[in-house]
Amino acid sequence: MSSINIRVNNINREYYLEDYSSGIALEDIVKDIEAEYNGYITIANINNKLRELSYEVKEDCNIEFLDTTNSDGSRVYFRTMSFIFIMACNELFNKARVTIEHSLSKGLYCEVHTDTRLQEFDIKNIKNKMKDIIYKDYKIEKISTTKSNAINIFENHGMYEKAELLRYKEYDDVKIYKCNNYINHFYGHMLPSTGYVKTFDLKQYENGVILLGPSELDKTKATKYIPQPKLANVYKEAEEWAKLMDVDKVINLNKIIENNQYGEIIRTVEALHEKKLSQIADMIKENKKRVILIAAPSSSGKTSFANRLCIHLKVNGLNPVSISLDDYFLNREDTPLDEFGKYDFESIYAIDLNKFNSDLKSLLEGKEINLPKFNFKTGKREENYKKLKIKENQPIILEGIHGLNPILTSSIPDQDKFKIYISALTQINLDDYNRIPTTDLRLIRRMVRDYNFRGYSAKHTIMNWDSVRRGEKKYIFPYQEEADIIFNSACVYELAVLKRYAKPLLEEIKSCDESYIEANRLLKFLQYFIELKDISDIPSTSILREFIGGSKIVD
């Protein structure tokens, strides 16, 4: 009797082939081990390639199963949950247009485009219809085909925008998913059937719905809904602007590039950024704010923003000074440790809070202080680096990941502070159902910058990204709604520019590298963009220049 040896979580498991038809489906293995995972298992990594749970194993191998507590695993769950949501809405609202807009409140903000605004009873009906689809456990069938055949299929189904997007696809292979007579294309993997979605919830918000998945703490409960009205307003403003300029979809951007009309789009984006910066500078002067706190997740363009804000403040007759929080780091041996026993440089307690607050308070009282300077080579703080004294019309700019955390500036009255949160909130999606996460834009920005200015490979950037994200979730995102204003640093055209730099870096990563899965995923969505090679219209003060080079305001 022949058998297959499969190693999962460092435990060998033997499966007899006689018990299965042609091989062992991953979903059969999942049944034996799912209780061992904190989240719902959604996909597997076999030989550095992601495999759906319907995949059949036919030989000895090592398997790493990924669940909803993992970014790849969560994407599969949300993608399948979105498909079920779309199916439910199509049945209830006579095939009304449904759009998956963006992330919000730890879920997905979606809209159902009907003549009337969704009511509470509509949300209840959608939820019940989704439960019905999940209960019936419809099979989700993957159809692998060619690009030309997929285009014909979507055209025959009246899905012309989907067909047109596929014309830009660089690779010829296309994966189409079919479920209970519904057909669609998602750039990513799916679960084998609707019954795999165990936990979800819906929350009505504005004109749409927030789709929530399982909590990381308890997979049997949906993620707790936490309102984010400020962030939602910025997303809404960005989307309305993108629709007004007719660049809310990749297809539209591609056509603009093909027709050599991108110059106006670039100039309009830059003018919008300048207008926002000017408004922020006016608010700071009018309200006589003395401490300007700037916080942002990685690769949001914080440095460019801070330098441009300084210029606008000077136009308003102010003379700001900048203080680097890095210079208030504790000596390396005094730095707190993280859960892995490593120095946690991103912890707020890695900063000498007592000295920092004392110096800040003294400055605002008109006293002279001795600024320190942190020596990153020795890991020591050098005291008395230079003297600093400010006048009343000199606001202090502080930028760093902890800018919005009240602990950082506990000695300063709130009325003296002006808090700014920056993020690159993408306002362009592939199509109605396939969004481009803000996180992916920032990762590509960082990858290009790391290679251009820090000598790091794309592999290095990808391998460190999870650590960066953990720090953001812990130290930045919980405070973003504390901001007085949120600045969106995204440029609607930028992925077409970044593709030129990122694609060759990603293609260098070999299939045996641990970073290959993520590199391959990024390449798959970048393939839909036409490269914008002419960057002569992008000014030297643009935030994008911080990443691609040519900036006159960032060292």
Side-chain angles (χ1 to χ4, degrees):
M1 183 180 292
S2 59
S3 63
I4 296 177
N5 289 309
I6 296 172
R7 189 169 179 81
V8 182
N9 295 340
N10 296 319
I11 298 175
N12 289 318
R13 297 175 183 271
E14 188 175 21
Y15 292 85
Y16 295 99
L17 286 178
E18 282 73 8
D19 298 334
Y20 304 91
S21 53
S22 56
I24 305 165
L26 292 175
E27 55 187 325
D28 289 327
I29 301 173
V30 167
K31 293 173 184 175
D32 296 334
I33 62 170
E34 57 187 346
E36 301 171 16
Y37 286 74
N38 293 327
Y40 294 114
I41 296 173
T42 61
I43 201 160
N45 178 357
I46 304 177
N47 298 326
N48 217 22
K49 188 174 180 63
L50 291 182
R51 297 291 188 183
E52 293 179 341
L53 297 187
S54 55
Y55 178 80
E56 292 187 341
V57 179
K58 299 180 180 180
E59 57 186 13
D60 296 353
C61 64
N62 292 327
I63 301 178
E64 178 191 5
F65 283 104
L66 307 177
D67 66 8
T68 47
T69 63
N70 169 277
S71 55
D72 281 311
S74 179
R75 275 190 281 265
V76 175
Y77 193 94
F78 267 90
R79 197 174 292 122
T80 307
M81 190 166 54
S82 299
F83 195 8
I84 295 170
F85 174 78
I86 293 163
M87 290 167 59
C89 291
N90 280 336
E91 288 191 36
L92 291 170
F93 302 101
N94 194 25
K95 298 184 178 180
R97 181 177 170 229
V98 179
T99 54
I100 310 298
E101 298 285 347
H102 52 74
S103 60
L104 187 66
S105 300
K106 297 187 177 181
L108 284 181
Y109 175 70
C110 315
E111 290 186 352
V112 184
H113 300 266
T114 61
D115 295 333
T116 58
R117 182 171 177 157
L118 291 180
Q119 303 297 318
E120 190 174 332
F121 68 86
D122 291 316
I123 307 301
K124 186 176 180 180
N125 288 339
I126 297 171
K127 191 172 183 178
N128 287 335
K129 177 57 70 173
M130 288 180 69
K131 287 181 178 179
D132 181 59
I133 293 170
I134 291 168
Y135 175 75
K136 289 178 178 175
D137 196 21
Y138 294 120
K139 181 181 179 181
I140 300 176
E141 178 186 1
K142 179 168 72 175
I143 303 169
S144 298
T145 186
T146 62
K147 185 167 75 171
S148 60
N149 190 44
I151 289 171
N152 289 333
I153 290 172
F154 286 122
E155 286 180 339
N156 291 336
H157 280 79
M159 302 169 75
Y160 300 109
E161 186 182 75
K162 187 82 68 173
E164 191 173 1
L165 177 65
L166 287 177
R167 296 184 197 280
Y168 291 103
K169 192 176 188 293
E170 294 176 356
Y171 308 131
D172 191 51
D173 63 304
V174 178
K175 304 293 188 297
I176 296 175
Y177 289 93
K178 184 178 180 182
C179 181
N180 194 32
N181 296 321
Y182 287 91
I183 193 165
N184 221 309
H185 169 63
F186 293 90
Y187 82 89
H189 301 282
M190 301 283 276
L191 287 163
S193 67
T194 60
Y196 275 82
V197 173
K198 307 289 186 184
T199 305
F200 78 96
D201 198 6
L202 301 179
K203 292 292 181 182
Q204 183 178 5
Y205 187 81
E206 296 290 338
N207 296 325
V209 183
I210 295 178
L211 188 56
L212 298 163
S215 167
E216 289 187 6
L217 301 176
D218 183 353
K219 64 185 176 183
T220 64
K221 296 179 181 178
T223 299
K224 183 181 178 182
Y225 168 69
I226 301 174
Q228 292 182 306
K230 291 180 181 177
L231 190 64
N233 286 337
V234 176
Y235 266 123
K236 184 178 179 181
E237 180 185 60
E239 286 162 10
E240 288 176 350
W241 181 86
K243 288 174 183 175
L244 182 67
M245 297 297 296
D246 198 22
V247 282
D248 59 325
K249 300 284 174 58
V250 173
I251 291 173
N252 303 21
L253 178 61
N254 286 345
K255 288 179 179 178
I256 287 169
I257 295 171
E258 286 175 329
N259 296 329
N260 294 318
Q261 297 172 331
Y262 50 83
E264 183 179 353
I265 294 295
I266 292 172
R267 289 186 287 274
T268 304
V269 168
E270 294 304 322
L272 179 67
H273 281 179
E274 288 297 339
K275 182 178 180 180
K276 293 289 183 184
L277 280 157
S278 178
Q279 290 172 343
I280 292 170
D282 289 346
M283 292 169 67
I284 290 169
K285 181 171 184 178
E286 289 168 11
N287 293 287
K288 299 180 180 179
K289 299 295 184 179
R290 303 199 65 194
V291 178
I292 303 163
L293 298 158
I294 303 173
S298 175
S299 304
S300 294
K302 183 171 75 271
T303 305
S304 293
F305 173 88
N307 289 336
R308 286 171 71 172
L309 180 61
C310 278
I311 295 169
H312 281 275
L313 290 170
K314 287 178 180 178
V315 170
N316 280 353
L318 302 176
N319 188 22
V321 296
S322 295
I323 294 179
S324 173
L325 292 177
D326 288 355
D327 289 330
Y328 283 87
F329 271 142
L330 293 169
N331 291 334
R332 193 158 294 157
E333 64 268 21
D334 299 322
T335 303
L337 305 178
D338 63 15
E339 62 267 36
F340 304 106
K342 297 180 180 179
Y343 288 127
D344 188 358
F345 297 111
E346 294 186 325
S347 168
I348 192 168
Y349 298 106
I351 297 170
D352 189 338
L353 294 171
N354 289 333
K355 178 170 177 54
F356 174 74
N357 274 274
S358 175
D359 283 356
L360 192 58
K361 192 169 182 292
S362 294
L363 276 175
L364 293 175
E365 291 172 351
K367 299 175 183 177
E368 185 178 81
I369 67 164
N370 290 307
L371 275 178
K373 182 73 175 178
F374 191 82
N375 188 322
F376 284 91
K377 288 184 178 179
T378 64
K380 301 282 188 181
R381 193 173 69 222
E382 299 169 0
E383 305 295 348
N384 305 324
Y385 174 69
K386 69 176 180 180
K387 297 183 182 298
L388 179 65
K389 186 177 182 180
I390 64 170
K391 298 177 182 178
E392 279 195 26
N393 71 333
Q394 287 188 282
I396 302 169
I397 295 180
L398 302 170
E399 57 166 299
I401 65 172
H402 302 294
L404 303 187
N405 189 331
I407 295 174
L408 179 70
T409 52
S410 58
S411 66
I412 309 303
D414 283 343
Q415 62 265 27
D416 287 340
K417 304 174 190 175
F418 190 83
K419 294 171 282 189
I420 304 169
Y421 177 76
I422 310 170
S423 193
L425 305 176
T426 49
Q427 62 257 56
I428 187 169
N429 285 333
L430 288 178
D431 57 28
D432 283 348
Y433 305 149
N434 292 287
R435 68 188 188 93
I436 297 173
T438 293
T439 303
D440 287 350
L441 172 60
R442 293 194 293 108
L443 173 56
I444 291 169
R445 276 183 172 188
R446 181 171 174 132
M447 189 186 310
V448 172
R449 184 189 62 192
D450 281 357
Y451 178 79
N452 285 338
F453 304 110
R454 301 178 182 180
Y456 294 139
S457 65
K459 176 182 175 180
H460 178 275
T461 304
I462 290 173
M463 293 307 295
N464 282 281
W465 190 240
D466 279 348
S467 175
V468 172
R469 293 280 293 144
R470 282 196 300 271
E472 292 171 351
K473 289 179 180 179
K474 190 173 182 180
Y475 301 119
I476 300 177
F477 296 149
Y479 304 102
Q480 57 191 356
E481 284 291 317
E482 300 294 322
D484 294 298
I485 197 160
I486 298 177
F487 180 85
N488 184 6
S489 70
C491 304
V492 72
Y493 62 87
E494 69 177 283
L495 280 168
V497 175
L498 290 168
K499 178 180 178 180
R500 167 189 170 189
Y501 301 88
K503 185 181 177 184
L505 301 179
L506 291 166
E507 288 176 337
E508 286 179 359
I509 296 176
K510 299 177 181 178
S511 59
C512 58
D513 286 329
E514 192 176 345
S515 59
Y516 174 75
I517 288 176
E518 183 71 347
N520 189 48
R521 185 183 70 82
L522 295 174
L523 280 170
K524 282 186 175 179
F525 90 74
L526 282 174
Q527 68 176 313
Y528 293 97
F529 287 83
I530 289 180
E531 285 186 29
L532 178 49
K533 297 179 181 179
D534 178 13
I535 60 173
S536 58
D537 283 300
I538 304 174
S540 59
T541 55
S542 172
I543 283 173
L544 188 55
R545 287 287 185 184
E546 184 177 329
F547 306 96
I548 65 173
S551 176
K552 291 289 182 67
I553 59 173
V554 176
D555 296 331

